[in-house]
Amino acid sequence: MKNWLIALLALLVFPSCVEAQGVVSSADPRAAAAGQEILRKGGSAADAEMAMMLALTVVEPQSSGIGGGGFFIYQDAKTGLLSTIDGREKAPAAATPQRFLGADGKPMPFFQAVPGGLSVGVPGNMRLLAMVHQRWGKLPWKDLFAPAIRLAEEGYAVTPPMASGMGYVSQVWGAFPAIAAQYMHDGKPYAVGETIRNPALAKTLRTLAEAGPDAFYTGPIAEAIVKAAAGSTKNPSDITLADLAAYQAKERAPVCGHYRRYRICGMGPPSSGATTVLQILGMLERFDMKKLGADNPVSWHLIGEAMLLAYADREKYLGDQDFVKVPIAGLIDPAYLRARSRLISPSKTMASHDAGTPPGAEPRTAAVSSEVAGTTHFIAVDRAGDIATMTSTVEGPFGSQLIADGFVLNNELTDFTFAPEKDGAPVANRVEGNKRPLSSMSPTIVYDDHNVPIFTVGAAGGKTIIMQVAKALIAHLDWGMPAREALGLGLVYFNAKGLVVEQGTAVEAMKPGLEKLGHDVTVAKLGLKANAAERTATGWVGAADPRSVGVALTE
């Protein structure tokens, strides 16, 4: 058969077959089941995604929930429009750049700042949920809450990741009786397999299902949030009812760029995800990554060099674009990235990896921000081909360690850079009233050269999120790996000394080769967790990171 005839048949048949059924992917099987349930009831991808967000509030409280915030991307199959929603938390109006400075004027130790009210940002996920449902929802609002309410009332078994999170932070719960009462018994955190019920959260979810999102930002639930954060015995906050009432999720322009024949889109600031991922890929484009392959130390050397240059730009230029000028176009400008790429040698490491000067950049002082491994990502694709992909978080394990009406309150404000100035110049990601802290969350959608969406991915794990997404894209697009294999492939990251290769993966075997190229290499566990979905000839296929307990389910 002639090639043109095969192509014509593919155009006629392929679009209808690939949307034959929906898929969901989540880092927790109960949340994935909630999304599947909503799709089977006729809900849209947006409905399923929001039902998973609510279910994760119950079953993955160490990572995300309605007490936190997130970034949401939606590809509408009917209109072709790509939308991104910013539900990132905000600092209280009274917050100042000195928020995380001690009496000596120096930045507080990170883990001194996390527990208690000072780290709590105004939660954004409920406003995000409302905006998403209003625009793309098909099912009644209250239907989205049903799976989460059922889980909270009937109970759910503790997973190994949840038990690990409790083990990590429960030693400080003596100062936080509310969270200890919910997640400990007989003086110990609940163990793997034990059942937890959360009637207070079930009541909150029922209230929100009946009364709508305003019931979160005003009235008794808002009062409970303020009481927990402002009334905390440790690091009390200056958050007010007015801060909650004023919060709004915000639609932002997506940030898109090209890598080889693909178009890749993600979130703009206050996410650093899309710009940094696109920078890494842009610097790698001149190298034949496919020919080099996944088992070649040179591949990981090139990835590592691009990573270090991109993160240097991230630390200098990224912040909430409502407060600072972020040179988005300049950071992903092809000419700028080609110039940055020319700094990379395939045969040796660079002496230093300094930030560049992208077009449109203002003088800025580089300063490192803090993010700890937490967060969660989840995906829904419905039978119409709509794609919803969201990263949601309360920041570190169990956020601020505070609970209000059954849900964990975030510690997102510790994602700000603690020192407001460096070398006499202001830092882009310094604390300011009503500002959203910088984030690494990187929900991403990939399109082919016909502008057809073919892949979506996101991850959890603090600043490693960007690298998990970049690595998955390289593995899938350059090395031809299926989604699950791309997620499971080991990671190269970095610390103050040099590169870090993920322990227990094939990438660990790259250590000697990377050292020959001049890198100082550490082997470590990285606590990774990603989710994806890929378009195949027979339909969309979901994938969950093999490191996690997550699953992908079909409608």
Side-chain angles (χ1 to χ4, degrees):
M1 189 180 289
K2 297 288 187 181
N3 288 340
W4 65 266
L5 184 55
I6 295 173
L8 178 61
L9 288 172
L11 286 171
L12 292 171
V13 176
F14 187 72
S16 61
C17 74
V18 296
E19 274 85 57
Q21 62 181 357
V23 298
V24 294
S25 176
S26 169
D28 188 284
R30 284 76 57 97
Q36 180 189 54
E37 176 182 328
I38 295 299
L39 287 181
R40 287 178 172 176
K41 290 182 70 173
S44 66
D47 289 327
E49 192 80 346
M50 294 299 94
M52 287 194 284
M53 186 274 286
L54 293 167
L56 287 162
T57 303
V58 183
V59 300
E60 210 182 36
Q62 75 276 13
S63 297
S64 71
I66 61 174
F71 296 129
F72 174 90
I73 300 181
Y74 201 71
Q75 175 61 53
D76 190 309
K78 185 176 181 179
T79 66
L81 293 177
L82 175 68
S83 303
T84 68
I85 308 296
D86 173 1
R88 183 69 161 154
E89 302 88 339
K90 278 188 172 185
T96 71
Q98 290 72 42
R99 188 176 194 82
F100 295 114
L101 300 183
D104 58 1
K106 296 180 180 180
M108 298 168 64
F110 181 76
F111 289 105
Q112 180 181 326
V114 168
L118 203 63
S119 66
V120 177
V122 180
N125 270 342
M126 282 304 301
R127 285 292 183 211
L128 183 151
L129 191 163
M131 181 179 287
V132 167
H133 183 259
Q134 181 180 30
R135 292 189 58 178
W136 301 291
K138 289 184 177 179
L139 296 183
W141 166 267
K142 66 180 181 180
D143 286 12
L144 310 187
F145 291 78
I149 292 169
R150 190 166 59 245
L151 286 163
E153 288 182 339
E154 297 177 3
Y156 61 94
V158 174
T159 61
M162 184 178 179
S164 176
M166 289 189 286
Y168 183 69
V169 296
S170 59
Q171 65 269 19
V172 305
W173 285 358
F176 301 96
I179 198 167
Q182 177 58 48
Y183 296 113
M184 297 179 77
H185 66 103
D186 301 325
K188 297 181 296 183
Y190 280 83
V192 174
E194 291 189 305
T195 298
I196 291 180
R197 294 177 178 83
N198 194 335
L201 179 53
K203 181 181 177 183
T204 294
L205 294 171
R206 285 192 179 279
T207 298
L208 296 170
E210 293 297 328
D214 286 351
F216 185 91
Y217 292 95
T218 61
I221 296 174
E223 291 167 5
I225 294 170
V226 171
K227 181 180 179 181
S232 174
T233 56
K234 187 173 181 63
N235 293 335
S237 175
D238 45 12
I239 193 170
T240 67
L241 290 172
D243 291 319
L244 285 154
Y247 183 88
Q248 295 295 327
K250 188 168 186 175
E251 183 169 6
R252 296 191 184 271
V255 172
C256 298
H258 285 85
Y259 178 61
R260 309 200 192 282
R261 66 183 186 89
Y262 305 99
R263 186 168 70 102
I264 297 170
C265 295
M267 285 294 312
S271 169
S272 60
T275 53
T276 313
V277 167
L278 288 168
Q279 281 198 306
I280 293 166
L281 297 178
M283 284 184 264
L284 293 174
E285 188 153 15
R286 73 182 176 98
F287 300 102
D288 191 342
M289 299 300 292
K290 181 177 181 179
K291 183 177 180 180
L292 287 168
D295 298 324
N296 189 334
V298 174
S299 295
W300 297 98
H301 158 70
L302 296 173
I303 292 170
E305 296 285 86
M307 167 187 68
L308 291 167
L309 289 172
Y311 273 78
D313 278 357
R314 175 195 185 274
E315 304 295 357
K316 186 168 185 176
Y317 297 112
L318 271 293
D320 184 347
Q321 61 184 318
D322 294 338
F323 284 76
V324 294
K325 182 181 177 183
V326 181
I328 298 171
L331 287 166
I332 61 174
D333 176 71
Y336 174 67
L337 293 179
R338 285 193 295 271
R340 295 286 276 167
S341 180
R342 286 194 290 271
L343 300 173
I344 300 173
S345 166
S347 60
K348 62 179 181 179
T349 187
M350 297 168 60
S352 62
H353 302 83
D354 301 318
T357 306
E362 296 177 344
R364 195 68 55 75
T365 302
V368 177
S369 62
S370 298
E371 286 183 65
V372 296
T375 312
T376 197
H377 189 81
F378 43 105
I379 294 161
V381 183
D382 61 32
R383 60 177 60 193
D386 302 315
I387 302 167
T389 185
M390 180 177 179
T391 313
S392 176
T393 187
V394 291
E395 178 56 358
F398 293 93
S400 63
Q401 316 308 306
L402 297 174
I403 280 189
D405 283 356
F407 56 90
V408 171
L409 294 178
N410 68 84
N411 68 291
E412 292 301 340
L413 300 190
T414 53
D415 279 357
F416 282 116
T417 303
F418 285 15
E421 294 184 354
K422 185 178 179 183
D423 301 329
V427 171
N429 189 42
R430 65 191 179 277
V431 183
E432 295 178 79
N434 294 315
K435 189 177 184 180
R436 302 173 197 235
L438 183 64
S439 172
S440 294
M441 294 188 288
S442 309
T444 302
I445 297 180
V446 179
Y447 303 81
D448 67 12
D449 47 7
H450 298 292
N451 205 34
V452 175
I454 59 167
F455 190 67
T456 179
V457 63
K463 288 187 184 179
T464 69
I465 290 172
I466 292 165
M467 278 309 298
Q468 290 182 71
V469 169
K471 178 265 299 181
L473 294 173
I474 295 163
H476 185 65
L477 303 177
D478 284 324
W479 297 332
M481 295 183 184
R484 181 174 167 84
E485 186 180 347
L487 298 182
L489 183 66
L491 192 73
V492 61
Y493 190 57
F494 66 98
N495 58 19
K497 294 169 58 179
L499 296 185
V500 178
V501 293
E502 186 181 2
Q503 184 177 341
T505 70
V507 178
E508 185 177 351
M510 302 296 111
K511 184 176 186 290
L514 288 168
E515 289 173 335
K516 286 181 180 179
L517 289 163
H519 294 282
D520 189 321
V521 183
T522 302
V523 177
K525 292 183 178 180
L526 292 174
L528 311 180
K529 185 176 72 174
N531 294 80
E534 62 183 313
R535 186 182 182 113
T536 73
T538 57
W540 279 92
V541 176
D545 198 316
R547 301 173 188 80
S548 76
V549 299
V551 298
L553 301 174
T554 58
E555 182 183 347

